[in-house]
Amino acid sequence: MKILFVGGLYPKELYREIQTNSKRSFQMAANNLQWAFVQGFEAHYEDFSIISVPFISTFPFGYKAFYFKGGDFFYNNQTNFKALSFINLPFLKEWIIKSKLKSELRKWCQSDNKKKCIVIYALFAHFMQIVTELKVEFPNLKICQIIPDLPEYMGVNSIYKKLGLQKKAINTINSCLPKFDCFVFLSSAMNDRLNTNNKPWVRIEGIFDHTPGKERYTKELPKVILYSGALSAKYGLKNLLNAFSAIQSSQIQLWLCGDGDFKLEIEERARNDQRIKFLGLLTFEEVKELQKKATVLVNPRTAEGEYTLYSFPSKTMEYLASGTPTIMYRLPGIPEEYYEFAYIPANESIECLTQLLLDVCNTPQKQLEIFGKIASKYIIINKSPKSQVGKISEMFKNL
């Protein structure tokens, strides 16, 4: 079977350029997950290609450049990888992308008589509309939808909402979903919500792409609590700051890195408490190094809100695989198997989080290293690209 992956991943040759030009919505987590899918598909299929429409905001408010220049790239010197070029202006951007993408997909479908499957990453209405239309034109074509988030929980700007475009997109998504042959969900609850025709599906809550590197780092002194990721109030960051402020010790610091609408609050707290360090938006490689140097990693997202039922925080695997112990809450979208590898607060109160942060920071370092290594080994072995995409490959055999 020939596989074509369609998504919004960033060419590695343009990663820094995209990051520099992004004023908002630099989707590092989505980019990493897509590359992990790519690695997994390449491990299972010899005939594998990629078409990307990089996920960037529009000029001038979200991105500094009004034109995105794509091109032909290679992954591991063998996989065909095309990133589409487009004028990055509102409305015009979408029209250009739809026209170019449909042309590229049609050429791929016409290339030969082999069995083919197009895999779409994320619920983008224009992507889905194009492939469902092509399925009518090419009845033997199989189409698979990867769903990392429900459409109502995907971030959109206020103008997009006011113009009714979000509602229109959701209607298009809902009309297209029954036409897909199979699905990849990040939580089982997504299947109950979206798979109304009971099509084949698999749950892949995430993928961790392990790149061997420096395994031992000197842990920082004083002790370091680290949060890395999107800086949004809905992710529990205010609770984390309040919990840390209740710690009296000068030998414990809180480091935060990332970007988002909660950044100003973090910067204000850092000015008033020298133990709080805001490190800004870092590369994935820089974040990984920090994770290994820290004493403990924390994800303060609580189970508040219906969306937690349909999401699996990408940092769960990333944190656990780092080898540094992780503190996280029980969330309905996270399978039970993960909790034995993390420290879990007994409840969602700030006092409980404060105490757990203190308890972990006061645990002997050797004990923390053993706990972290067990978690890391579990993720690296069981959640690798080849292992996770293997589940999709088995599903494809029965299409």
Side-chain angles (χ1 to χ4, degrees), residues 23-145:
K23 297 180 180 181
R24 63 187 183 203
S25 298
F26 179 72
Q27 299 192 32
M28 184 167 67
N31 184 61
N32 293 337
L33 180 56
Q34 288 177 90
W35 277 114
F37 271 112
V38 163
Q39 185 175 335
F41 277 114
E42 191 177 55
H44 287 277
Y45 296 94
E46 292 184 2
D47 201 334
F48 173 65
S49 304
I50 306 165
I51 294 179
S52 178
V53 183
F55 295 158
I56 61 173
S57 294
T58 53
F59 176 85
F61 301 110
Y63 201 75
K64 297 176 185 176
F66 75 93
Y67 182 74
F68 177 81
K69 185 178 181 180
D72 294 322
F73 302 92
F74 286 96
Y75 174 68
N76 284 347
N77 296 319
Q78 56 186 10
T79 296
N80 293 321
F81 177 16
K82 177 184 288 291
L84 299 187
S85 301
F86 50 86
I87 297 173
N88 193 26
L89 295 173
F91 307 111
L92 182 60
K93 169 184 177 178
E94 183 173 327
W95 183 84
I96 292 171
I97 287 171
K98 287 178 71 173
S99 177
K100 285 191 172 185
L101 183 58
K102 189 164 188 176
S103 175
E104 292 291 339
L105 294 183
R106 180 178 282 113
K107 282 193 294 185
W108 183 81
C109 290
Q110 293 172 335
S111 60
D112 54 48
N113 294 322
K114 292 182 180 178
K115 188 176 181 181
K116 299 180 180 70
C117 181
I118 297 177
V119 180
I120 301 292
Y121 179 87
L123 294 175
F124 287 97
H126 47 296
F127 287 12
M128 298 173 70
Q129 190 172 27
I130 289 169
V131 296
T132 53
E133 289 173 358
L134 284 173
K135 189 169 173 59
V136 175
E137 188 175 342
F138 302 94
N140 293 327
L141 174 67
K142 303 299 180 182
I143 53 177
C144 174
Q145 178 70 58

Side-chain angles (χ1 to χ4, degrees), residues 299-302 328-331 339 344-345 347-349 353:
N299 182 4
R301 181 192 291 196
T302 66
M328 67 183 194
Y329 289 100
R330 289 184 176 273
L331 300 177
Y339 295 115
I344 312 298
N347 58 58
E348 295 184 354
S349 68
L353 180 56

Side-chain angles (χ1 to χ4, degrees), residues 16-17 84 123 147-148 156 200 246 268 277 297 316 322 345 349:
R16 182 66 74 173
E17 176 186 327
L84 299 187
L123 294 175
I147 305 179
V156 295
E268 178 66 22
K277 312 293 182 184
L297 312 178
T316 302
S322 72
S349 68

Side-chain angles (χ1 to χ4, degrees), residues 173-197:
I173 289 168
N174 289 333
S175 68
C176 289
L177 279 170
K179 302 173 185 177
F180 278 79
D181 296 293
C182 59
F183 300 98
V184 178
F185 298 118
L186 266 65
S187 79
S188 298
M190 285 182 169
N191 178 64
D192 300 330
R193 174 78 172 267
L194 299 176
N195 192 4
T196 55
N197 290 346

Side-chain angles (χ1 to χ4, degrees), residues 5 29 184 186 208 259 345:
F5 183 91
V184 178
L186 266 65
F208 183 76
D259 196 12

